[in-house]
Amino acid sequence: NNSTKSRKGYKGKFTSLGLDVDPEEIFSSSFAAAAYMEQIRFKDSGKRAYVIGEVGILEELDLVGVPHLGGPHEKDLQPDMSAGGKVDHDHNVGAVIVGFDRYINYHKIQYAQLCINENPGCLFVATNLDAVTHLTDAQEWAGNGAMVGAIKGCTGKEPVLVGKPSPLMIDYIVDKYQIPSRDRICMVGDRLDTDILFGQNNGLKTILTLSGVTTEAKLQSPENKISPDFYVGSIAEFA
């Protein structure tokens, strides 16, 4: 669900770990956003996408020929909020894509709400709704759910979700690899509300790993309503 890297970016990470992985075998939420735009033939509209997010989304949009603006280079922009000040936005923006953005600011939020509220038919697309993420090992950090929530709050609109637990990626994988039965696929992840829910909603086997955001106490809590088929301390136990 991390949209900060493209498949090319993840390929580099796998290579650094000594793993030979084909980019076509990598499915990230940045890719899911671009795949969705390709699926709806957004390019044919002649419009552009405004991106709150990092380079991963931009690189994937480039691969499907979707013109875009926004992204990391806007990290230092501040709107003019003096008397009469305003943000001018591109009326040809037909979609706002919101992914995790370590440099989100008020300019980006204002620009996005203007596009969604004032451009007729402008789409609102979210790569994921993760509440928290792990940027450091010292604490949990606000996830993309915070960025998406800011845009929902000022537009009153619900986004099209393309990352987990949305079915878009698994539908693409099943079709691409002609998988005859979804119960032959196992979803491994550390989040109950995205990874495991994604697996359950799409007919997959599920394994929760306790090496990430979910503790065994949380899994076993009476408040938790999402149960995986199996759980392990870490993926090292697969060996």
Side-chain angles (χ1 to χ4, degrees):
N1 260 7
N2 185 343
S3 65
T4 59
K5 292 184 178 66
S6 62
R7 288 169 296 171
K8 177 183 175 183
Y10 279 112
K11 163 70 174 175
K13 183 174 183 178
F14 283 125
T15 300
S16 72
L17 295 171
L19 300 172
D20 184 18
V21 179
D22 191 314
E24 294 298 312
E25 298 175 319
I26 301 170
F27 297 89
S28 64
S29 63
S30 54
F31 166 70
Y36 173 73
M37 300 297 275
E38 186 174 37
Q39 185 182 75
I40 65 172
R41 303 179 68 87
F42 181 82
K43 180 182 175 181
D44 295 347
S45 71
K47 295 184 178 296
R48 301 203 286 176
Y50 178 70
V51 177
I52 292 178
E54 302 191 18
V55 68
I57 298 173
L58 307 187
E59 289 180 349
E60 292 291 352
L61 291 177
D62 285 340
L63 291 175
V64 297
V66 170
H68 54 78
L69 64 159
H73 76 276
E74 292 190 341
K75 67 179 183 178
D76 296 322
L77 294 183
Q78 294 296 327
D80 177 9
M81 291 181 283
S82 61
K86 66 175 184 175
V87 170
D88 292 315
H89 76 286
D90 186 341
H91 292 273
N92 198 42
V93 168
V96 171
I97 302 174
V98 182
F100 183 71
D101 190 334
R102 285 168 288 189
Y103 310 104
I104 192 167
N105 56 37
Y106 194 55
H107 168 86
K108 296 181 182 184
I109 295 171
Q110 173 65 356
Y111 200 103
Q113 78 85 8
L114 288 170
C115 292
I116 294 171
N117 285 336
E118 298 189 6
N119 293 2
C122 184
L123 300 171
F124 175 19
V125 179
T127 60
N128 68 82
L129 301 176
D130 291 1
V132 295
T133 189
H134 283 178
L135 297 180
T136 70
D137 59 5
Q139 60 185 186
E140 291 184 334
W141 297 75
N144 194 47
M147 289 77 181
V148 175
I151 307 306
K152 284 174 60 176
C154 57
T155 63
K157 302 289 179 61
E158 289 292 331
V160 174
L161 177 63
V162 296
K164 297 173 295 186
S166 163
L168 187 145
M169 279 197 286
I170 197 64
D171 289 345
Y172 183 93
I173 291 169
V174 168
D175 181 66
K176 178 179 176 66
Y177 294 103
Q178 294 295 293
I179 299 172
S181 176
R182 294 189 178 210
D183 63 9
R184 297 182 62 186
I185 305 172
C186 185
M187 177 66 210
V188 181
D190 69 327
R191 293 178 183 269
L192 291 165
D193 59 348
T194 54
D195 301 323
I196 304 307
L197 189 61
F198 172 75
Q200 292 179 345
N201 287 351
N202 292 286
L204 317 180
K205 296 295 185 184
T206 58
I207 298 178
L208 176 74
T209 175
L210 301 176
S211 55
V213 301
T214 305
T215 63
E216 188 168 15
K218 182 176 180 180
L219 172 64
Q220 304 290 1
S221 168
E223 287 75 34
N224 175 43
K225 306 302 180 187
I226 305 171
S227 298
D229 293 307
F230 309 97
Y231 70 94
V232 293
S234 78
I235 58 174
E237 295 181 25
F238 291 172

